[in-house]
Every structure is written in C-alpha cells, then in structure tokens.
Amino acid sequence: NAGVTQTPKFQVLKTGQSMTLQCAQDMNHEYMSWYRQDPGMGLRLIHYSVGAGITDQGEVPNGYNVSRSTTEDFPLRLLSAAPSQTSVYFCASSRQGKTSANYGYTFGSGTRLTVV
Amino acid sequence: DAKTTQPTSMDCAEGRAANLPCNHSTISGNEYVYWYRQIHSQGPQYIIHGLKNNETNEMASLIITEDRKSSTLILPHATLRDTAVYYCIGPNDMRFGAGTRLTVKP
C-alpha cells in the first residue's frame, strides 16, 4: 500500500512556464485536496475534490487548476508559474466525504517547487 | 466551521509529558477535533481525533472539555523525535493555522 504518492519531489520552473504536479492514492479515498506551505507558515488549501468529477476551490485557488477524472488521481496544474508560487505543495486524501471521522487524512511527502 | 487557536510554541523536557492546548470555542456539537503533526518539512501526520469523549491511541491521548470548547493533546513521555509542529483543526474546512511548534529538549 503506497498511500499518497506525489511527483516530482523537486522542481525548478522559469516564470511563465506551466507544469502539472501529480498526486495519486491507492486507498480508494473519495476526498482529495491540495495544500501549499510557504516557509514558516501553516498549510493553505488550494483546491479539493469530494469525488471523481467534482472539484472546488479552497483558500488560495488563483493560478491553479485541478481536475478529477478518476478516484485515484488529482493533478494540480500551474498555468503560468510566478515566483509567488514558490512553495512546498502537499496532496492529501481521506476515506469519505470532506472529512473522515475515523481515519483522518493521509498526506503525501510533498513537492518542493521553486519558480525563478 | 470551527476555528482553532493554539499557542505559537512550547518546550518540553525529554521524558516528561507534553500537554498541547487548543481552543475551539466555535465548534458545533457534531464536529470532531483532529490533531496532526508535521516533523521538519515532511507531510503532516494524523495523530488522533475526538468528539466528546477522551481518546487514546498508541501515539497520544486527547482530552476534550465537557463544553467542547477546548482540548489538550498529551504526549505522555515526550522524546526528541516528537519535536514538530502540532496542528489542531476542525473537520469541515481543513484549514491549518500555524500550529504549535513543540521543542523537546534533552
């Protein structure tokens, strides 16, 4: 059981480039979400999904797109990278709905993105 | 949705109990309180959650006040590896604040 897998682990982009951060889970979790964490700060919710075909915005969605075509995958797309998007990105999943009363959330190990 | 308040930082001596408080005065009657921790720059790790009864697992204990306006996470015998940022969050919006930075000292 791999849990939540994020790729790549590290990435350097030039301003204006686009890229997709990958997130996959093998636990058949319905709920998935993306967070960003800036140095010394807490996590901020970017986008989330309560199931395949359903996505919604979190606290800081601007500059990011998501889609959820399968239960397993929840990619995060940066449309035109900016230095302000330099951050560590975490993907998380949960067993049911927006919260899981019994299992909590499982997080990936993160993608460290630098935009120059 | 519940909002939580935690102290910015705490210290604890190795081997002693670490008691981390959280205020969640706006929590509603059916909302669980969740605790996570983040060691260095790893992904957050689920610790424990509770509704109204005290809870214990292999990692920690959770004490919730009778009015459910606050809770305390207890690490009974803190080790150096427990040094981390601890987050107390409400369930329905999964917004992580700055958490409490716990430093366990030898």
Side-chain angles (χ1 to χ4, degrees):
Chain A
N1 219 359
V4 177
T5 302
Q6 291 185 238
T7 56
K9 294 191 183 306
F10 301 93
Q11 182 71 49
V12 178
L13 287 179
K14 293 182 179 178
T15 297
Q17 286 185 316
S18 62
M19 80 159 293
T20 300
L21 279 61
Q22 301 291 344
C23 176
Q25 52 90 11
D26 61 358
M27 298 171 284
N28 202 31
H29 284 175
E30 294 180 9
Y31 181 80
M32 297 184 73
S33 55
W34 277 102
Y35 291 87
R36 61 175 288 174
Q37 186 173 35
D38 299 330
M41 306 287 287
L43 287 82
R44 291 185 292 170
L45 183 65
I46 305 172
H47 285 284
Y48 65 94
S49 168
V50 299
I54 306 170
T55 64
D56 206 346
Q57 297 181 351
E59 302 171 79
V60 289
N62 292 342
Y64 308 94
N65 273 0
V66 291
S67 60
R68 185 92 179 272
S69 56
T70 67
T71 300
E72 294 78 18
D73 300 298
F74 191 43
L76 178 71
R77 282 183 290 277
L78 279 70
L79 309 174
S80 177
S84 61
Q85 294 179 303
T86 293
S87 191
V88 180
Y89 291 84
F90 290 104
C91 178
S93 72
S94 175
R95 181 168 175 166
Q96 58 188 32
K98 197 173 177 182
T99 61
S100 171
N102 293 321
Y103 296 93
Y105 281 77
T106 301
F107 282 82
S109 57
T111 294
R112 284 146 184 81
L113 176 68
T114 301
V115 182
V116 297
Chain B
D1 292 334
K3 297 192 188 307
T4 61
T5 305
Q6 299 177 255
T8 302
S9 63
M10 295 181 65
D11 291 343
C12 177
E14 188 179 18
R16 303 298 295 268
N19 299 292
L20 291 88
C22 178
N23 180 288
H24 35 79
S25 57
T26 60
I27 199 169
S28 64
N30 62 350
E31 286 186 315
Y32 284 77
V33 175
Y34 288 76
W35 284 83
Y36 292 79
R37 74 180 182 184
Q38 186 174 26
I39 296 174
H40 196 45
S41 15
Q42 300 175 18
Q45 175 190 25
Y46 165 80
I47 301 173
I48 199 167
H49 72 280
L51 182 61
K52 61 175 82 172
N53 298 320
N54 298 337
E55 303 287 345
T56 296
N57 63 19
E58 66 278 4
M59 292 182 68
S61 295
L62 177 61
I63 308 298
I64 302 173
T65 58
E66 192 169 343
D67 63 8
R68 300 202 342 107
K69 294 185 184 302
S70 65
S71 61
T72 300
L73 179 75
I74 301 172
L75 308 178
H77 305 287
T79 70
L80 299 179
R81 288 175 293 181
D82 292 322
T83 292
V85 177
Y86 288 78
Y87 299 99
C88 160
I89 64 171
N92 285 325
D93 64 357
M94 282 298 289
R95 295 172 193 265
F96 288 75
T100 297
R101 181 171 297 278
L102 175 69
T103 302
V104 180
K105 298 185 174 181

